[in-house]
Amino acid sequence: MKPLTLENYKELLPYLEIANYKEYNSNIVTLLMWNNLYHMYFETTDTYALICSKDEKGILWLAPHCKKEYRKDAMEAMMRISKEQHIPFSICALVKEFRDWILEEYPLQFMIENVIDAQDYIYDRFQQESLAGKKMQKRRNHYRAFLSTYEHRMQYKPIEESDHEAIYAFLKKWQERKKEQEFDSIQAEEKGMKLLLSNYEKLSLRGGCIYIDGQLEAFLIASYLSKDTIQIHIEKANSEIRGLYVAILKHFLETLESDVLYINREEDMGLEELRKAKTNMHPIYKVKKFTAHQSSLQLQQANDTWLPQIKQLWIEQFKEESEESCEYYFQNLYKKENCWILHSNDELLCMLQVRKMKISLENKGYPAVLFFGIATSSKHEGCGYMRLLLNHVLSLFPDHIQLIQAYNWDLYRSFGFHEQYTRYTWKLDKNAYVKCNGAWNTNPVNKDLLSAYQNFTSNKNGYRIREEQWYEEQKAYMSLWDYAFLSYEENGVCKGYFLIKETDNEIHISECVYDSMETLHSMLAHFHLEQRKVLLDMDSTVSLHGKMKQDIYMMVRDSLSVSFQEPLYIREEI
């Protein structure tokens, strides 16, 4: 491979255009500007171009630039070169599409890292130029403040060779105001900027500068990343002048052709101040970036060795869990044979668990699995690992009804899940229910609770077939969340129950079981004199006095040819 230079960079241009990754490392200007720091090398064949950064530590590849049908050939060439030099094979600055391709073409062969600090910020060109709309209010105010003071004292002009000396002098002053630890690549940036200015026309750069009272106070250098996207490589302004950063960008954008729709303002490098500034400009989206390291991954059932990491991930990802609820779960409910993990060597990447049960449909019991405890370590979120794991475990239960609850329902539609169960949460009108015919038992026996549940579900569909043991487990676990079973009795017979949680301001009933509407109304009269807000989670078969909110409760995957006919009922809390 040969070093990238100003004499040979044009060899790469056709390949960059073909790949069209639309991320800033795939811009030849970026590669040249930072070449002094990252030491870029490349080689081309008839079908692909390989680009890497090389130093005494080894090689770090960029994604191969070629048509999609030649990616495999290029990847094999990159892996061969790395192997010949006894260097671990890694690729950086991968866009999501290329990451997905690697996961598909090389399953369980790469560790993927979601590099948050390397995401490109993409903006609407015309929004940043016009400063119109509610989101641009603050920037618009800054710009107006700038004009009120400097409108007749400032001059915007395209960068010319005569501006170079003023730009270098301004850059020196700008650097003096910055702390070295904030920008550890300041010197490399200066060298790169000088290279760009020295080859301004050759590299087809665009840029502009603002003079105030004859003194240069801001400048900007950019290039075309694609036909519809301009990339900002350097943007410096006197931060003591309010609105100057807004002004230099706005005036520059006004000089561009109308077919430029987007602005790529590169990454934030993990710098909090820079991240805040770029976020406050309201990007329309970010280009996610990934790094891939060749490493063997393994899908397997959990064993005792992995329990400490599984518990740690459980606590990390499920913030609502307490130490007590976590400890109870893993001592009493967790089963290693129902937990699957994806790991690389000794590192746990993600996990999921299933709960096996039976679902009644049209008076027939079907085996079912509920997927829960789905978690990916924060370091590896967004890398596609859960997709690998979930698809694997789904394939293990082809003859089961497959159920899932989720924080984000949209994530699971691509796996074949769809909304099946609906929850209706009622804010009870307490004055509508006044007559209570029975008594309450704060310590009901499991047998009575199960009998009430079986009566309640006798005319319903899609419900879990429970046993007494279910209530024993629920009593202990739900008590950790301050829930308790409260049964309603008439003449010593259990007619229904609440699974209820009481706080200073609210009463929440997450399960309400009853044998008739008359019984339900009598049960609800328990709250007639209650001052607190009362919320009830109900199925679709009942209408109460009060206000109602509807939401999704459970999704089902079409794994069996079964029919979920109304009325449906299911409640699974753990």
Side-chain angles (χ1 to χ4, degrees):
M1 299 186 74
K2 54 192 176 186
L4 176 66
T5 68
L6 283 165
E7 287 69 41
N8 63 22
Y9 76 89
K10 289 186 178 180
E11 292 180 40
L12 276 175
L13 295 179
Y15 300 90
L16 299 179
E17 185 175 350
I18 287 172
N20 194 31
Y21 291 133
K22 292 189 176 180
E23 64 89 23
Y24 82 88
N25 293 289
S26 294
N27 186 338
I28 195 64
V29 178
T30 302
L31 298 177
L32 289 169
M33 177 180 174
W34 294 100
N35 196 18
N36 71 89
L37 180 63
Y38 295 110
H39 312 295
M40 307 305 299
Y41 288 74
F42 77 98
E43 71 175 42
T44 60
T45 70
D46 291 341
T47 56
Y48 58 77
L50 307 181
I51 307 172
C52 71
S53 171
K54 187 186 297 187
D55 59 22
E56 65 277 1
K57 296 179 181 179
I59 294 175
L60 183 61
W61 298 94
L62 294 179
H65 288 72
C66 55
K67 293 181 178 179
K68 192 170 183 178
E69 57 262 37
Y70 299 121
R71 283 182 182 174
K72 200 82 180 269
D73 294 339
M75 286 283 289
E76 297 299 323
M78 294 158 68
M79 288 189 280
R80 184 185 69 251
I81 293 171
S82 294
K83 185 176 181 179
E84 290 171 351
Q85 299 193 25
H86 307 287
I87 295 170
F89 179 52
S90 296
I91 319 176
C92 69
L94 299 178
V95 296
K96 183 179 181 297
E97 185 274 331
F98 201 99
R99 178 210 70 178
D100 293 344
W101 179 85
I102 284 182
L103 291 174
E104 182 177 347
E105 293 294 328
Y106 297 90
L108 303 179
Q109 295 184 47
F110 280 89
M111 274 274 287
I112 308 292
E113 180 183 354
N114 186 359
V115 189
I116 303 296
D117 297 345
Q119 294 182 123
D120 296 6
Y121 287 75
I122 310 300
Y123 302 87
D124 182 316
R125 172 263 177 99
F126 293 106
Q127 185 183 56
Q128 298 296 323
E129 179 183 334
S130 68
L131 302 178
K134 186 176 181 180
K135 289 183 177 180
M136 293 292 104
Q137 180 67 53
K138 287 186 178 180
R139 291 182 63 79
R140 193 160 60 243
N141 291 343
H142 287 316
Y143 182 64
R144 287 172 178 169
F146 172 78
L147 289 182
S148 68
T149 303
Y150 299 104
E151 183 172 11
H152 301 296
R153 298 164 55 190
M154 62 85 70
Q155 176 196 10
Y156 173 85
K157 64 185 294 290
I159 290 178
E160 299 173 349
E161 188 173 351
S162 59
D163 300 304
H164 291 189
E165 185 176 345
I167 289 174
Y168 295 142
F170 174 82
L171 182 65
K172 186 175 181 180
K173 291 181 180 179
W174 183 88
Q175 290 173 344
E176 290 173 353
R177 292 196 296 266
K178 295 294 177 180
K179 297 178 181 178
E180 186 66 28
Q181 62 266 28
E182 289 181 356
F183 295 89
D184 57 3
S185 57
I186 280 181
Q187 290 184 341
E189 183 185 49
E190 181 181 358
K191 290 179 181 178
M193 189 195 73
K194 289 181 176 179
L195 180 140
L196 298 190
L197 288 175
S198 300
N199 298 273
Y200 196 81
E201 293 185 3
K202 181 178 182 179
L203 296 175
S204 302
L205 299 177
R206 300 288 295 267
C209 51
I210 288 180
Y211 286 83
I212 297 177
D213 298 333
Q215 181 77 28
L216 188 137
E217 296 290 0
F219 71 94
L220 178 154
I221 300 175
S223 71
Y224 288 97
L225 178 58
S226 63
K227 291 180 179 179
D228 63 0
T229 303
I230 195 78
Q231 178 181 331
I232 310 296
H233 297 283
I234 303 172
E235 185 182 25
K236 310 292 184 189
N238 185 345
S239 59
E240 295 179 359
I241 299 177
R242 181 186 176 188
L244 183 54
Y245 270 105
V246 181
I248 184 64
L249 180 61
K250 174 177 170 59
H251 285 271
F252 168 71
L253 295 175
E254 288 172 351
T255 69
L256 299 180
E257 297 80 2
S258 60
D259 55 355
V260 177
L261 305 178
Y262 307 105
I263 312 165
N264 184 311
R265 293 180 61 85
E266 302 183 352
E267 63 192 13
D268 60 40
M269 301 179 288
L271 299 171
E272 189 60 36
E273 184 179 345
L274 190 56
R275 176 169 296 175
K276 182 179 179 181
K278 293 193 175 187
T279 300
N280 288 344
M281 288 183 63
H282 299 288
I284 54 176
Y285 67 94
K286 297 178 185 178
V287 179
K288 294 182 178 180
K289 304 284 192 67
F290 302 87
T291 297
H293 309 281
Q294 195 170 26
S295 177
S296 178
L297 308 183
Q298 187 172 347
L299 287 163
Q300 68 171 72
Q301 276 183 304
N303 55 43
D304 292 337
T305 303
W306 290 101
L307 183 57
Q309 285 197 57
I310 290 171
K311 290 174 69 174
Q312 182 179 350
L313 182 55
W314 184 277
I315 286 290
E316 173 193 322
Q317 290 297 320
F318 305 127
K319 303 298 184 183
E320 69 277 11
E321 291 280 355
S322 64
E323 289 186 14
E324 292 78 10
S325 65
C326 178
E327 195 61 33
Y328 180 87
Y329 174 77
F330 281 99
Q331 283 188 3
N332 299 278
L333 303 176
Y334 169 79
K335 296 180 180 180
K336 61 187 177 184
E337 63 270 21
N338 290 337
C339 179
W340 279 264
I341 61 173
L342 175 63
H343 65 92
S344 175
N345 298 321
D346 296 328
E347 184 176 4
L348 178 64
L349 306 180
C350 58
M351 67 178 184
L352 66 78
Q353 299 178 42
V354 301
R355 184 174 302 114
K356 297 176 182 177
M357 61 183 72
K358 279 192 174 181
I359 295 294
S360 177
L361 289 169
E362 303 298 330
N363 298 316
K364 180 180 179 182
Y366 290 88
V369 286
L370 171 66
F371 290 84
F372 72 105
I374 300 173
T376 302
S377 69
S378 55
K379 179 181 176 183
H380 298 101
E381 288 177 347
C383 297
Y385 290 137
M386 185 51 67
R387 180 167 292 276
L388 288 173
L389 181 59
L390 184 53
N391 276 328
H392 170 71
V393 181
L394 286 170
S395 70
L396 302 178
F397 297 96
D399 299 325
H400 287 62
I401 296 171
Q402 298 171 347
L403 309 167
I404 200 166
Q405 287 178 311
Y407 295 110
N408 185 346
W409 303 104
D410 291 337
L411 290 176
Y412 297 99
R413 291 192 180 96
S414 62
F415 293 93
F417 287 96
H418 63 273
E419 298 90 330
Q420 189 68 71
Y421 293 92
T422 303
R423 173 172 54 193
Y424 295 79
T425 300
W426 288 86
K427 181 180 178 182
L428 187 67
D429 177 1
K430 300 181 287 290
N431 295 324
Y433 304 95
V434 297
K435 186 178 179 181
C436 182
N437 298 318
W440 295 94
N441 185 351
T442 58
N443 189 29
V445 297
N446 298 333
K447 182 179 180 181
D448 288 344
L449 296 174
L450 176 61
S451 177
Y453 174 81
Q454 290 172 336
N455 288 336
F456 175 70
T457 55
S458 61
N459 64 343
K460 300 190 187 307
N461 214 20
Y463 60 88
R464 177 178 180 170
I465 299 174
R466 294 179 182 172
E467 303 82 23
E468 284 189 41
Q469 180 63 25
W470 185 91
Y471 286 95
E472 189 66 29
E473 293 173 351
Q474 283 283 316
K475 281 181 177 179
Y477 184 74
M478 295 306 289
S479 68
L480 299 172
W481 302 89
D482 298 321
Y483 279 91
F485 285 95
L486 180 65
S487 67
Y488 174 79
E489 299 177 357
E490 292 181 1
N491 300 319
V493 177
C494 180
K495 308 282 282 184
Y497 65 79
F498 293 140
L499 180 56
I500 186 170
K501 177 178 182 177
E502 299 189 50
T503 66
D504 291 340
N505 301 313
E506 179 181 291
I507 296 174
H508 178 225
I509 300 166
S510 65
E511 180 165 90
C512 179
V513 164
Y514 48 91
D515 67 355
S516 67
M517 290 303 296
E518 182 181 357
T519 295
L520 175 60
H521 290 176
S522 186
M523 291 169 67
L524 296 181
H526 177 66
F527 306 109
H528 176 58
L529 300 177
E530 179 60 57
Q531 298 299 310
R532 292 169 291 180
K533 177 171 63 176
V534 179
L535 301 177
L536 299 88
D537 295 337
M538 307 291 286
D539 62 277
S540 61
T541 60
V542 63
S543 180
L544 302 178
H545 294 283
K547 295 181 180 180
M548 183 269 288
K549 181 183 72 172
Q550 176 181 345
D551 58 17
I552 305 166
Y553 187 76
M554 191 88 73
M555 299 180 86
V556 175
R557 188 168 180 261
D558 293 326
S559 53
L560 293 176
S561 298
V562 293
S563 177
F564 284 78
Q565 299 293 330
E566 294 284 353
L568 294 174
Y569 177 84
I570 196 166
R571 283 292 180 270
E572 285 297 309
E573 298 296 340
I574 60 172

